[in-house]
C-alpha cells in the first residue's frame, strides 16, 4: 500500500487516465492506408491485370466515359448498370468503336460514419450501411485505383461531406481544388434530383429510389494534372448533366 505522504495531495481526477483523442475521418483513412498500402498496391495491380484480361478475352466494348458512384450502402449492380445505360444517351463515341458508352463504377466503403441499417425509399428493398472489412478493402482499393489513374471526372457521392473530408477531391465552380480542410466550402455540388437532365432519366422505380439521395460533383486536379483520357469531353458531359440546376 502506498504511503500516506505520497497520496495525501492526490485528487481522484488525477488518477483518471487521459481520454484518447478521436481521429478525424481523414486521419482514420490515413492510418488505414499506412498499414494496408502494400496490400492495396498488390490488389490494384492484380485487379488491373484481371480487368485487362477480361476485356481482351471477352472483346468487351470499352467505355467512353467513366463515372464514380461512392456510397456506404449496398446498391445492386443492376441499378448501377441501368444508370450508365441511361447516361450513355448524352455521350459521344470517343474511342471510335461505334458506340457511346458511359460506365458507372460503384465503390462501396465506409467513410467513418455510424453503422446503421435502414429502409430505402422503395418498400421492397432494404438499404444496409454496414460495411464489412472485405467490402471496405475492395471499395477503398478500387476507388484509390480510380483516383490514382485519374479515370473519373464525375463523382456521385451520397454523403459528399464525408467523401470530401476523407479525399478532398471535389472541385469548385472553376475546376480548382478548395483549400485543404475546407470541407464542402467552395465545392460546386448539385443534388441528383435537382438536375433536370438527371431527374428526367428513364429509370426504374428501384433505381430512382436509390439514386435520388445522391449528389453530383466533379473532381478537381492539382496544377499540371488533368483527367487521363478525354478531359474536355468529360467536362462537357458534366455540364450537360447539371444544366439548369442550382448548386447547393
Amino acid at each position: 500500500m502506498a504511503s500516506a505522504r505520497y497520496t495525501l495531495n492526490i485528487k481522484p481526477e488525477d488518477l483518471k487516465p487521459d481520454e484518447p483523442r478521436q481521429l478525424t475521418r481523414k486521419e482514420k483513412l490515413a492510418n488505414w492506408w499506412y498499414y494496408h498500402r502494400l496490400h492495396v498496391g498488390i490488389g490494384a495491380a492484380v485487379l488491373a491485370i484481371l480487368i485487362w484480361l477480361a476485356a481482351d478475352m471477352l472483346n468487351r466494348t470499352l467505355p467512353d466515359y467513366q463515372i464514380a458512384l461512392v456510397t456506404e450502402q449496398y446498391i445492386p449492380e443492376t441499378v448501377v448498370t441501368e444508370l450508365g445505360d441511361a447516361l450513355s444517351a448524352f455521350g459521344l463515341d470517343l474511342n471510335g468503336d461505334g458506340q457511346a458508352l458511359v460506365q458507372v463504377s460503384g465503390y462501396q466503403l465506409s467513410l467513418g460514419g455510424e453503422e446503421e441499417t435502414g429502409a430505402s425509399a422503395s418498400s421492397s428493398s432494404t438499404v444496409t450501411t454496414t460495411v464489412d472489412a472485405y467490402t471496405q478493402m475492395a471499395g477503398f482499393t478500387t476507388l484509390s485505383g480510380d483516383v490514382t489513374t485519374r479515370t473519373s471526372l464525375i463523382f456521385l457521392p451520397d454523403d459528399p461531406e464525408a467523401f470530401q473530408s476523407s479525399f478532398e477531391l471535389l472541385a469548385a465552380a472553376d475546376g480548382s481544388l478548395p483549400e485543404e480542410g475546407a470541407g464542402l466550402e467552395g465545392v460546386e455540388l448539385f443534388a441528383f434530383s435537382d438536375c433536370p437532365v438527371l431527374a428526367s432519366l428513364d429509370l426504374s422505380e428501384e433505381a430512382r429510389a436509390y439514386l435520388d439521395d445522391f449528389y453530383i460533383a466533379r473532381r478537381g486536379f492539382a496544377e499540371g494534372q488533368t483527367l487521363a483520357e478525354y478531359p474536355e469531353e468529360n467536362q462537357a458531359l458534366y455540364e450537360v448533366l447539371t444544366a439548369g440546376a442550382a448548386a447547393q
Side-chain angles (χ1 to χ4, degrees):
M1 182 175 179
S3 173
R5 64 176 179 175
Y6 294 117
T7 60
L8 182 61
N9 296 318
I10 296 179
K11 300 176 182 179
E13 55 267 30
D14 294 335
L15 300 176
K16 184 178 179 181
D18 294 333
E19 294 184 1
R21 183 177 69 85
Q22 294 296 319
L23 299 178
T24 64
R25 290 191 182 97
K26 188 175 182 179
E27 288 173 333
K28 289 178 181 178
L29 280 176
N31 185 61
W32 188 92
W33 173 255
Y34 179 82
Y35 290 103
H36 295 86
R37 55 187 174 181
L38 178 60
H39 302 84
V40 169
I42 295 173
V46 171
L47 180 63
I49 294 172
L50 290 177
I51 291 176
W52 182 84
L53 288 175
D56 184 67
M57 291 173 61
L58 300 177
N59 195 27
R60 186 177 63 182
T61 303
L62 297 177
D64 301 286
Y65 307 82
Q66 297 196 59
I67 294 176
L69 183 147
V70 184
T71 177
E72 187 174 348
Q73 62 176 306
Y74 166 75
I75 293 187
E77 187 62 31
T78 53
V79 171
V80 176
T81 301
E82 183 180 346
L83 175 60
D85 291 343
L87 293 176
S88 295
F90 301 93
L92 300 173
D93 177 17
L94 302 179
N95 55 24
D97 63 359
Q99 179 181 355
L101 179 62
V102 175
Q103 177 178 295
V104 179
S105 300
Y107 303 115
Q108 184 187 5
L109 71 160
S110 173
L111 297 175
E114 295 291 331
E115 293 185 350
E116 58 181 1
T117 301
S120 72
S122 172
S123 59
S124 62
S125 61
T126 299
V127 176
T128 177
T129 57
T130 302
V131 180
D132 58 61
Y134 176 81
T135 301
Q136 176 75 6
M137 175 172 284
F140 190 82
T141 299
T142 50
L143 176 57
S144 296
D146 187 310
V147 172
T148 301
T149 56
R150 295 174 282 118
T151 298
S152 300
L153 177 76
I154 300 173
F155 278 76
L156 302 174
D158 61 350
D159 189 348
E161 183 175 4
F163 177 75
Q164 183 69 350
S165 176
S166 299
F167 292 95
E168 298 188 320
L169 291 175
L170 303 182
D174 62 359
S176 64
L177 286 169
E179 293 184 7
E180 185 175 351
L184 290 179
E185 184 178 354
V187 170
E188 185 177 56
L189 182 70
F190 301 91
F192 189 97
S193 57
D194 286 348
C195 297
V197 171
L198 298 178
S200 66
L201 292 178
D202 185 18
L203 298 173
S204 64
E205 291 185 5
E206 179 190 25
R208 185 67 65 183
Y210 278 104
L211 296 171
D212 273 351
D213 290 332
F214 278 76
Y215 295 81
I216 179 171
R218 59 177 165 164
R219 177 182 174 180
F221 293 93
E223 186 175 354
Q225 289 190 337
T226 186
L227 201 66
E229 293 185 320
Y230 313 120
E232 294 181 359
E233 291 81 359
N234 276 267
Q235 172 64 26
L237 178 62
Y238 170 76
E239 292 175 358
V240 168
L241 298 183
T242 58
Q248 296 287 296

